[in-house]
Amino acid sequence: MSENTKSNTLNGLFWNTIDRFGNQAMVILVSVIIARIADPSAFAQYSVLLIFSTIATTFVNSGLATSLVRSKEVDQLDYSTMFCFNLTVSISLYLILFFAAPYMEQFYKIKGLALFARVLFLQIVIQSFGIVQNVKILRNFQFNLMMRSNVLAVFLSGGLTILMTYFGAPIWAMILQPVYYATFQTLFMWIWGDWKIDFTFSANSLKKHLHFSVSFMLSNLLGKALSQLYYNFNAKHFTETVAGYYYNGNKWGETPGMLMSSIIQGTTLSTLAPIQDQYDRFLNACRKTMSSLVFVLFPVNMLAICVGEPAFRYFLTEKWMPSVQPFQWLCFVGIFIAMTDLNVNFLNIKGKSKFSLILEIIKVGASIITYFLTYKHGIMMIIYGQLVIRLICFIIASAMSGKVYGYLIMNQLKDIIPSFLISVFAAGIAYLPLYYHWVDHDLLLLIIQTSIFAVLYIGINHILKNETWLEILGLVKKKITK
């Protein structure tokens, strides 16, 4: 990487890390409080609505945001066109879902689902008002503003959600939390952003960006809808309690990988776009980005697997223990999801959104077939099927990366394996206190396991002078000095 690209990337990683971890800390707190109060069936009721809001939100974004971020030149007309298009689409979709809500309630036979849906889907319209500000902030590398908006939004929305849960309305707390978050985030974007509202529309501008964004939208839609499809299938084929256990296991299992992936991808989309046509620089930047991702991804996921049992028992209470095994396996699934998503992100930066669409069609088609071959054998067999599909998707995405810009799967494995082996070793040693029952108190056991893992992982990387570790250490020292 050049010094300018490297500086922008490291700066973005720093602020995105604070953003995501601050965000996730509040999300975890809210989720724990709701899980301790609500029954598993409440989570199953909430989960069936996620597919509709996910699909609608993806249509609203429609890939135009990504197209604008990766474009070399963007003018005021592009921004205003995007704003008008997204606002029109979001209002239209909300009206469709509003009138469809009673039919959802009839289909799932869940009392009150229509009202829940109509309130939850308000986030679709609210989010459309902030997309342009979001794009401008990313294009200007103002990651600190993004962090400020997101963290404040999640803390304010989380606070209101906790109050609602405390006063006995956990299902409404889950429904309103995304609406609160979208409202606060959009508000802060407008306070700190510099784009002024403009209703000028250009069909030529829309056509230019739709060339990339249609494929991106469809692939993004399929990718985001897949987890929600599992929730809906489970709600139809299993009891609400079993579906709730899967939802919570999947939610927590996806979190580590999605957290790390969002930090990396949220930065690289804007910082690597300017060098997308410089073959050697782009390939080198992709390799360093993958190394950075797995350096954090593997230890976070392996530690989560290691401490899953005492963590669930202490924080979520004994009633959620059936979610532990799904959670642990889904953490492993999450590793392949994050690495595949990063490859897809690189392909999108190169403008190859059609490759991403092909991959998503393969993934969704194979996942649906596998689901109906496995669901009669129970939840765990479904998860094993997910693992196989995600591994195959990673291999395909790596092959596509090799074909498009030369990041061959063998080179990816060279960048991945060192962090993987160190993480597995550290997790194996950290698991011993749990396996041999050396400690009875769950919180103390968590602290001991985490400490052992952290010392071993950081210590080994420091001894081996891992380049990613040394860069992170240097960046932290530099920020502290400032």
Side-chain angles (χ1 to χ4, degrees):
M1 290 191 196
S2 69
E3 283 305 312
N4 188 45
T5 302
K6 182 177 179 179
S7 176
N8 286 332
T9 302
L10 290 176
N11 186 56
L13 287 173
F14 178 80
W15 288 113
N16 267 322
T17 300
I18 295 175
D19 176 1
R20 305 302 181 185
F21 274 93
N23 236 299
Q24 200 59 47
M26 193 64 187
V27 170
I28 289 173
L29 176 61
V30 171
S31 299
V32 167
I33 292 172
I34 294 176
R36 292 177 71 92
I37 295 173
D39 294 324
S41 58
F43 287 87
Q45 294 172 21
Y46 173 67
S47 68
V48 299
L49 294 175
L50 293 180
I51 188 169
F52 301 105
S53 61
T54 298
I55 290 173
T57 301
T58 304
F59 268 110
V60 171
N61 292 335
S62 64
L64 289 179
T66 303
S67 181
L68 263 65
V69 170
R70 65 170 294 277
S71 295
K72 294 178 180 179
E73 295 182 3
V74 176
D75 57 25
Q76 175 65 18
L77 189 59
D78 292 319
Y79 287 127
S80 62
T81 299
M82 175 185 170
F83 178 76
C84 293
F85 181 79
N86 284 343
L87 186 60
T88 302
V89 171
S90 66
I91 293 173
S92 301
L93 285 173
Y94 179 76
L95 290 174
I96 292 170
L97 292 170
F98 181 92
F99 291 110
Y103 300 102
M104 298 178 198
E105 183 172 324
Q106 291 176 17
F107 180 78
Y108 290 106
K109 297 180 175 62
I110 298 175
K111 186 177 180 180
L113 192 67
L115 181 58
F116 294 155
R118 286 168 171 171
V119 174
L120 176 64
F121 298 152
L122 285 171
Q123 67 171 309
I124 299 166
V125 178
I126 297 169
Q127 284 179 334
S128 68
F129 281 92
I131 292 176
V132 172
Q133 299 287 12
N134 186 16
V135 169
K136 286 212 72 176
I137 287 171
L138 285 175
R139 285 189 61 86
N140 294 330
F141 307 124
Q142 295 173 302
F143 300 107
N144 58 329
L145 290 184
M146 183 71 69
M147 179 276 296
R148 200 187 310 167
S149 300
N150 291 343
V151 171
L152 280 174
V154 78
F155 270 81
L156 289 171
S157 61
L160 290 172
T161 304
I162 289 172
L163 283 175
M164 291 188 67
T165 305
Y166 179 77
F167 285 109
I171 182 64
W172 273 112
M174 285 190 281
I175 295 295
L176 284 169
Q177 195 275 332
V179 179
Y180 290 148
Y181 178 79
T183 302
F184 287 122
Q185 185 195 44
T186 301
L187 176 63
F188 292 132
M189 289 276 190
W190 277 97
I191 291 173
W192 291 314
D194 62 2
W195 186 74
K196 305 301 180 184
I197 195 164
D198 185 349
F199 291 102
T200 307
F201 181 83
S202 168
N204 289 332
S205 175
L206 180 63
K207 183 179 179 180
K208 176 181 68 175
H209 290 288
L210 281 178
H211 178 73
F212 167 86
S213 63
V214 168
S215 296
F216 177 84
M217 177 194 69
L218 291 174
S219 63
N220 201 26
L221 173 64
L222 291 172
K224 289 186 175 181
L226 187 56
S227 289
Q228 281 68 46
L229 279 173
Y230 278 101
Y231 297 151
N232 280 259
F233 289 156
N234 288 341
K236 293 295 292 181
H237 296 296
F238 298 95
T239 65
E240 285 190 355
T241 300
V242 172
Y245 287 142
Y246 174 88
Y247 170 80
N248 232 20
N250 189 60
K251 176 185 176 182
W252 293 106
E254 284 185 338
T255 296
M258 289 179 65
L259 176 61
M260 296 303 108
S261 182
S262 65
I263 291 171
I264 300 291
Q265 292 190 55
T267 303
T268 56
L269 181 61
S270 55
T271 59
L272 299 190
I275 61 170
Q276 59 185 283
D277 296 327
Q278 301 174 42
Y279 185 89
D280 291 335
R281 286 181 64 196
F282 184 78
L283 176 58
N284 181 54
C286 290
R287 295 196 66 170
K288 289 185 73 67
T289 303
M290 178 64 80
S291 298
S292 300
L293 172 67
V294 298
F295 179 82
V296 185
L297 175 69
F298 284 129
V300 169
N301 280 62
M302 295 307 297
L303 177 61
I305 293 170
C306 185
V307 304
E309 186 178 328
F312 267 70
R313 185 163 42 239
Y314 182 80
F315 290 108
L316 303 183
T317 72
E318 196 73 33
K319 70 179 178 181
W320 287 105
M321 291 307 289
S323 291
V324 173
Q325 190 180 9
F327 160 78
Q328 291 172 322
W329 278 95
L330 287 164
C331 278
F332 201 61
V333 172
I335 290 174
F336 293 103
I337 293 175
M339 293 191 299
T340 302
D341 286 349
L342 188 58
N343 274 286
V344 169
N345 188 50
F346 295 149
L347 291 168
N348 286 331
I349 293 173
K350 294 287 288 184
K352 303 296 183 181
S353 55
K354 290 184 179 179
F355 281 72
S356 305
L357 178 58
I358 293 170
L359 176 63
E360 292 301 333
I361 292 172
I362 294 170
K363 180 175 68 179
V364 173
S367 296
I368 292 174
I369 293 171
T370 304
Y371 182 92
F372 285 102
L373 290 175
T374 57
Y375 82 93
K376 291 183 180 179
H377 303 284
I379 287 291
M380 288 310 304
M381 192 60 69
I382 293 172
I383 295 172
Y384 299 147
Q386 286 180 260
L387 178 59
V388 173
I389 296 299
R390 294 297 187 171
L391 174 59
I392 293 171
C393 287
F394 168 66
I395 294 172
I396 295 173
S398 301
M400 289 178 175
S401 292
K403 181 178 180 179
V404 172
Y405 59 93
Y407 196 6
L408 303 173
I409 189 168
M410 291 307 299
N411 290 332
Q412 294 199 34
L413 290 176
K414 288 179 183 178
D415 297 332
I416 288 167
I417 287 175
S419 293
F420 175 74
L421 293 177
I422 298 172
S423 298
V424 170
F425 175 76
I429 301 300
Y431 185 73
L432 294 178
L434 173 63
Y435 183 80
Y436 288 107
H437 305 286
W438 290 344
V439 182
D440 293 328
H441 193 279
D442 287 320
L443 180 59
L444 181 59
L445 180 58
L446 268 170
I447 294 171
I448 291 173
Q449 286 185 281
T450 303
S451 300
I452 292 172
F453 187 97
V455 168
L456 285 173
Y457 187 76
I458 293 173
I460 293 172
N461 278 288
H462 196 75
I463 292 170
L464 296 177
K465 299 186 184 303
N466 180 283
E467 185 178 344
T468 304
W469 165 246
L470 294 178
E471 285 188 351
I472 292 172
L473 199 60
L475 177 63
V476 173
K477 287 180 180 179
K478 184 178 178 181
K479 292 293 181 182
I480 292 174
T481 302
K482 283 186 177 180

